[in-house]
Structures are given as C-alpha cells and as structure tokens.
Amino acid sequence: QQPVQSPQAVILREGEDAVINCSSSKALYSVHWYRQKHGEAPVFLMILLKGGEQKGHEKISASFNEKKQQSSLYLTASQLSYSGTYFCGTEGIGDDKIIFGKGTRLHILP
Amino acid sequence: ETGVTQSPTHLIKTRGQQVTLRCSSQSGHNTVSWYQQALGQGPQFIFQYYREEENGRGNFPPRFSGLQFPNYSSELNVNALELDDSALYLCASSPDSSPLLSEQYFGPGTRLTVT
C-alpha cells in the first residue's frame, strides 16, 4: 500500500515554513524521507523508527505518529536550495521493502 | 570516497529486446537496491542484493533479474522489454545488512526508453 503524501505541491517564498505529510493505511515500522531535485538522484534526509529513534541531518525536523501511521516533515525558514520533490517511504511491520509515495513538489521563490 | 555510479546514462531499446543496466556501489557498501521511477512518480522497489544474494523483491515479474558481484557492483537485467518499462532506473547502496534501517545512497540513474 503506497503511502499518501500531502500536499501534492507547494510554493513558498524564501524564509517561509512548510509541512509535508505522509500517511499510510498499514502499521509502520519506519518512515524514510528523501529529496530529489530535477534530473538528480534522491538524497537521504531522515529515517524515523517505531519506538522513537531517528537518524538524519541535524537541520531536518520530522515526526512519526505510530498510532496514526503518519509522519510529517518540517521545513523551517526555507531556502532556495530546499526546492525539489520530497518523497516519503514507508516500511510496514513485517515487510522487507520501502514503498515510496508519489512525492510533494516544493518550489521556493526568492 | 566515490559515490554510486550507473551506466549507461540513457538507453533506447525496442520492445521485446533485452537490456542490462550497471551500478557501482559506494565504497564499503555491501547492499544494493534497484528501483524503477516512472515520470512524476516515486521510486518503486524492484529488488535488493546483500553480499551477492537476493535479499528482497518487489512486485516485478521474473523478467526483471539481477546480480551482485564480489566487488558489490550490480546489474539489473530486463528481458522481453515492454513499453511500460520506460522509466528511470535507480540503484542505491547502503553500508548495512539492514538497509531499511540506514540511509541509502542513490546513483544518478539510467533513463530507459522502450519504443
């Protein structure tokens, strides 16, 4: 079951904040966040694990609500370099693979 | 430390043909995963190899097969190409035997077009 991301797209001005949400219908073991710029490879942002452990870049903030099978990625004081498509990937409990959502396109205006 | 590299960058094939895509993992990484990314979609998991053994597979038919070599480089083979196989194929390596618990380093991808 592919996770659902919202919003599908968002346009911000530099310095504004954004929240990207990821929701699954399955009980999750982990949530993974990646950013992909046009024509480039996805780049790792963060992993959030059931139980509260997180691994990721210091400047990235995210949450994982295990009961609701939801995760949110928080982008504060956005910079031009934040532009790109953000993908969440979910691992269901008992699964051995990550299923990615369709992505959220983020465009930052100067 | 070199990153993940893939070859070729672009490829055009005819329906029914076979194709081999190659991936060189980041130094020290023993796990590689392959993904198919259609335009405007997220990456779809094809399969994963850990120390030369297949370690997980997504919902792709058997005509998608792979190999991982002792130096941890990898190949993705697709037989009997179909038009829907047109996509960006990404490989990703990770340093852990449990890549689901660690970050994956993606290569730049191979853009396959099937006509």
Side-chain angles (χ1 to χ4, degrees):
Chain A
Q1 290 85 340
Q2 185 177 40
V4 177
Q5 291 186 231
S6 63
Q8 290 184 330
V10 60
I11 299 175
L12 296 176
R13 291 212 173 269
E14 201 172 5
E16 293 181 337
D17 300 339
V19 179
I20 300 173
N21 301 302
C22 176
S23 179
S24 174
S25 59
K26 288 192 68 172
L28 298 178
Y29 182 75
S30 66
V31 179
H32 304 238
W33 287 96
Y34 284 80
R35 177 175 62 216
Q36 185 177 29
K37 293 182 179 288
H38 183 69
E40 298 182 10
V43 173
F44 170 79
L45 296 176
M46 177 164 283
I47 295 174
L48 302 102
L49 302 175
K50 182 178 170 65
E53 185 179 352
Q54 296 186 359
K55 302 179 186 180
H57 297 292
E58 292 179 2
K59 294 185 178 180
I60 299 294
S61 172
S63 65
F64 178 21
N65 186 322
E66 298 171 30
K67 290 183 180 179
K68 293 186 177 180
Q69 289 92 246
Q70 293 175 347
S71 177
S72 294
L73 185 70
Y74 305 98
L75 302 170
T76 57
S78 58
Q79 304 172 17
L80 294 176
S81 62
Y82 289 8
S83 291
T85 301
Y86 289 76
F87 293 102
C88 76
T90 55
E91 178 201 357
I93 293 176
D95 289 346
D96 60 357
K97 57 180 181 278
I98 302 169
I99 301 175
F100 285 95
K102 293 184 177 181
T104 294
R105 294 186 304 281
L106 176 66
H107 187 61
I108 310 295
L109 299 172
Chain B
E1 182 179 273
T2 57
V4 178
T5 59
Q6 292 186 242
S7 63
T9 307
H10 296 87
L11 200 54
I12 300 174
K13 288 285 189 178
T14 302
R15 190 172 49 184
Q17 286 187 317
Q18 178 265 343
V19 69
T20 298
L21 310 181
R22 294 178 174 82
C23 171
S24 180
S25 300
Q26 185 154 323
S27 177
H29 289 189
N30 53 24
T31 302
V32 66
S33 302
W34 284 91
Y35 293 86
Q36 180 194 67
Q37 187 176 26
L39 206 59
Q41 301 293 318
Q44 269 196 292
F45 177 73
I46 303 175
F47 44 59
Q48 177 189 101
Y49 279 81
Y50 169 64
R51 295 191 173 184
E52 304 176 57
E53 296 287 332
E54 188 176 290
N55 191 35
R57 189 176 182 92
N59 296 325
F60 279 81
R63 59 189 186 85
F64 285 78
S65 62
L67 281 174
Q68 188 182 30
F69 300 100
N71 65 355
Y72 302 137
S73 64
S74 176
E75 284 183 357
L76 164 65
N77 298 290
V78 187
N79 293 322
L81 284 167
E82 301 177 0
L83 296 178
D84 285 348
D85 294 335
S86 295
L88 180 68
Y89 287 84
L90 297 162
C91 78
S93 71
S94 54
D96 203 285
S97 59
S98 299
L100 297 176
L101 301 180
S102 64
E103 60 186 284
Q104 296 185 76
Y105 294 79
F106 281 84
T110 293
R111 172 72 62 187
L112 173 65
T113 302
V114 182
T115 61

Coordinates of all heavy atoms in Angstrom, one line a residue, chain B residues 10-19 21 36 63-64 78-89 110-115:
Chain B
H10 N 21.7 7.0 -20.6 CA 20.5 6.9 -21.3 C 20.6 5.7 -22.2 O 21.7 5.3 -22.6 CB 20.3 8.1 -22.2 CG 20.1 9.4 -21.5 ND1 21.1 10.2 -21.1 CD2 19.0 10.0 -21.0 CE1 20.7 11.2 -20.4 NE2 19.4 11.2 -20.4
L11 N 19.4 5.1 -22.5 CA 19.4 3.9 -23.4 C 18.0 3.9 -24.1 O 17.0 4.1 -23.5 CB 19.5 2.7 -22.5 CG 20.0 1.4 -23.0 CD1 21.3 1.5 -23.8 CD2 20.1 0.4 -21.9
I12 N 18.1 3.6 -25.4 CA 16.8 3.4 -26.2 C 16.8 2.0 -26.7 O 17.8 1.5 -27.3 CB 16.7 4.4 -27.3 CG1 16.7 5.8 -26.8 CG2 15.5 4.1 -28.1 CD1 16.8 6.9 -27.9
K13 N 15.7 1.3 -26.4 CA 15.6 -0.1 -26.8 C 14.3 -0.3 -27.5 O 13.3 0.5 -27.3 CB 15.7 -1.1 -25.6 CG 17.1 -1.2 -25.1 CD 18.0 -2.0 -25.9 CE 19.3 -2.4 -25.3 NZ 20.1 -3.3 -26.2
T14 N 14.2 -1.4 -28.2 CA 12.9 -1.7 -28.9 C 12.2 -2.8 -28.1 O 12.8 -3.7 -27.5 CB 13.2 -2.3 -30.3 OG1 13.9 -1.3 -31.1 CG2 11.9 -2.6 -31.1
R15 N 10.9 -2.7 -28.2 CA 10.0 -3.7 -27.5 C 10.5 -5.1 -27.8 O 10.7 -5.4 -29.0 CB 8.6 -3.5 -27.8 CG 7.6 -4.3 -27.0 CD 6.1 -3.9 -27.4 NE 5.9 -3.8 -28.8 CZ 4.8 -3.4 -29.3 NH1 3.8 -2.9 -28.5 NH2 4.6 -3.4 -30.6
G16 N 10.6 -6.0 -26.8 CA 11.0 -7.4 -27.0 C 12.5 -7.6 -26.8 O 12.9 -8.7 -26.6
Q17 N 13.3 -6.5 -26.8 CA 14.7 -6.7 -26.6 C 15.0 -6.9 -25.1 O 14.2 -6.8 -24.3 CB 15.5 -5.5 -27.2 CG 15.5 -5.4 -28.7 CD 16.4 -4.2 -29.1 OE1 16.4 -3.1 -28.6 NE2 17.3 -4.5 -30.1
Q18 N 16.3 -7.1 -24.9 CA 16.8 -7.3 -23.5 C 17.8 -6.2 -23.2 O 18.4 -5.6 -24.1 CB 17.5 -8.7 -23.4 CG 18.1 -9.0 -22.1 CD 19.6 -8.6 -22.0 OE1 20.3 -8.5 -23.0 NE2 20.1 -8.5 -20.8
V19 N 17.9 -5.8 -21.9 CA 18.8 -4.7 -21.5 C 19.5 -5.1 -20.2 O 18.9 -5.8 -19.4 CB 18.0 -3.4 -21.4 CG1 17.0 -3.4 -20.2 CG2 18.9 -2.2 -21.3
L21 N 21.6 -3.1 -17.2 CA 22.0 -1.8 -16.6 C 23.0 -2.1 -15.4 O 22.9 -3.1 -14.8 CB 20.8 -1.1 -16.0 CG 19.6 -0.9 -16.9 CD1 18.4 -0.1 -16.2 CD2 19.9 -0.3 -18.2
Q36 N 12.6 1.4 -9.9 CA 12.1 1.9 -11.1 C 11.3 3.2 -10.8 O 10.4 3.1 -9.9 CB 11.2 0.9 -11.8 CG 10.6 1.4 -13.1 CD 9.4 0.5 -13.6 OE1 8.4 0.5 -13.0 NE2 9.6 -0.2 -14.7
R63 N 11.0 -11.5 -15.4 CA 11.9 -11.0 -16.5 C 12.8 -9.8 -16.0 O 13.7 -9.4 -16.7 CB 11.0 -10.5 -17.7 CG 10.0 -9.5 -17.4 CD 9.1 -9.3 -18.6 NE 8.2 -8.1 -18.4 CZ 8.6 -6.9 -18.7 NH1 9.8 -6.6 -19.2 NH2 7.8 -5.9 -18.4
F64 N 12.5 -9.4 -14.8 CA 13.5 -8.4 -14.1 C 14.3 -9.3 -13.2 O 13.9 -9.9 -12.2 CB 12.7 -7.4 -13.2 CG 12.0 -6.3 -14.0 CD1 10.8 -6.6 -14.7 CD2 12.6 -5.1 -14.1 CE1 10.2 -5.6 -15.4 CE2 12.0 -4.0 -14.8 CZ 10.8 -4.3 -15.5
V78 N 16.7 -6.8 -17.8 CA 15.3 -6.9 -18.1 C 15.1 -7.5 -19.4 O 15.7 -7.1 -20.4 CB 14.6 -5.5 -18.1 CG1 13.1 -5.6 -18.3 CG2 15.0 -4.7 -16.8
N79 N 14.4 -8.6 -19.5 CA 14.1 -9.4 -20.7 C 12.8 -9.0 -21.3 O 11.9 -8.5 -20.6 CB 14.1 -10.9 -20.4 CG 15.5 -11.4 -20.1 OD1 16.5 -10.9 -20.6 ND2 15.5 -12.3 -19.1
A80 N 12.6 -9.2 -22.6 CA 11.3 -9.0 -23.3 C 10.7 -7.7 -22.9 O 9.6 -7.6 -22.4 CB 10.3 -10.2 -22.9
L81 N 11.5 -6.6 -23.2 CA 11.1 -5.3 -22.9 C 9.7 -4.9 -23.4 O 9.3 -5.3 -24.5 CB 12.1 -4.3 -23.4 CG 13.4 -4.2 -22.6 CD1 14.5 -3.4 -23.4 CD2 13.2 -3.6 -21.3
E82 N 9.0 -4.2 -22.5 CA 7.6 -3.7 -22.8 C 7.7 -2.2 -22.8 O 8.5 -1.6 -22.1 CB 6.6 -4.2 -21.8 CG 6.5 -5.8 -21.8 CD 5.6 -6.3 -20.8 OE1 4.9 -5.4 -20.1 OE2 5.4 -7.5 -20.7
L83 N 6.7 -1.6 -23.5 CA 6.7 -0.1 -23.5 C 6.6 0.5 -22.1 O 7.2 1.5 -21.8 CB 5.5 0.4 -24.3 CG 5.5 0.0 -25.8 CD1 4.2 0.5 -26.5 CD2 6.7 0.6 -26.5
D84 N 5.9 -0.2 -21.2 CA 5.7 0.3 -19.8 C 7.0 0.2 -19.0 O 7.1 0.8 -17.9 CB 4.6 -0.5 -19.1 CG 3.3 0.0 -19.5 OD1 3.2 1.0 -20.2 OD2 2.3 -0.7 -19.2
D85 N 8.0 -0.4 -19.6 CA 9.3 -0.5 -18.8 C 10.1 0.8 -19.0 O 11.1 1.0 -18.3 CB 10.2 -1.6 -19.4 CG 9.6 -3.0 -19.1 OD1 8.8 -3.1 -18.1 OD2 9.8 -3.9 -19.9
S86 N 9.6 1.7 -19.8 CA 10.3 3.0 -20.0 C 10.2 3.8 -18.7 O 9.1 4.0 -18.1 CB 9.6 3.8 -21.1 OG 9.7 3.2 -22.3
A87 N 11.4 4.1 -18.1 CA 11.4 4.8 -16.8 C 12.9 5.1 -16.5 O 13.8 4.8 -17.2 CB 10.9 3.8 -15.7
L88 N 13.1 5.7 -15.3 CA 14.4 6.0 -14.8 C 14.7 4.8 -13.8 O 13.9 4.5 -12.9 CB 14.5 7.3 -14.0 CG 15.8 7.7 -13.4 CD1 16.8 8.0 -14.5 CD2 15.6 8.9 -12.5
Y89 N 15.8 4.2 -14.0 CA 16.2 3.1 -13.1 C 17.3 3.5 -12.2 O 18.4 3.9 -12.6 CB 16.6 1.8 -13.9 CG 15.4 1.2 -14.6 CD1 14.9 1.7 -15.8 CD2 14.7 0.2 -14.0 CE1 13.8 1.1 -16.4 CE2 13.6 -0.4 -14.5 CZ 13.1 0.1 -15.7 OH 12.0 -0.5 -16.3
T110 N 19.6 5.5 -14.7 CA 19.7 5.2 -16.2 C 18.3 5.4 -16.7 O 17.3 4.8 -16.3 CB 20.1 3.8 -16.5 OG1 21.5 3.6 -16.1 CG2 20.0 3.5 -18.0
R111 N 18.2 6.3 -17.7 CA 16.9 6.6 -18.3 C 16.7 5.6 -19.5 O 17.5 5.7 -20.5 CB 16.9 8.0 -18.9 CG 15.7 8.4 -19.7 CD 14.4 8.5 -18.9 NE 14.5 9.6 -17.9 CZ 13.6 9.8 -17.0 NH1 12.5 9.0 -16.9 NH2 13.7 10.7 -16.1
L112 N 15.8 4.7 -19.4 CA 15.5 3.7 -20.4 C 14.2 4.1 -21.1 O 13.2 4.4 -20.5 CB 15.3 2.3 -19.8 CG 14.8 1.2 -20.7 CD1 15.9 0.9 -21.7 CD2 14.5 -0.1 -19.9
T113 N 14.3 4.1 -22.4 CA 13.2 4.4 -23.3 C 13.0 3.2 -24.2 O 13.9 2.7 -24.9 CB 13.4 5.6 -24.2 OG1 13.6 6.8 -23.4 CG2 12.2 5.9 -25.0
V114 N 11.8 2.6 -24.1 CA 11.4 1.5 -25.0 C 10.4 1.9 -26.0 O 9.4 2.5 -25.7 CB 10.8 0.3 -24.1 CG1 10.5 -0.9 -25.0 CG2 11.7 0.0 -23.0
T115 N 10.8 1.7 -27.3 CA 9.9 2.1 -28.4 C 9.3 0.9 -29.1 O 9.8 -0.2 -29.0 CB 10.7 2.9 -29.4 OG1 11.8 2.1 -29.9 CG2 11.3 4.2 -28.7

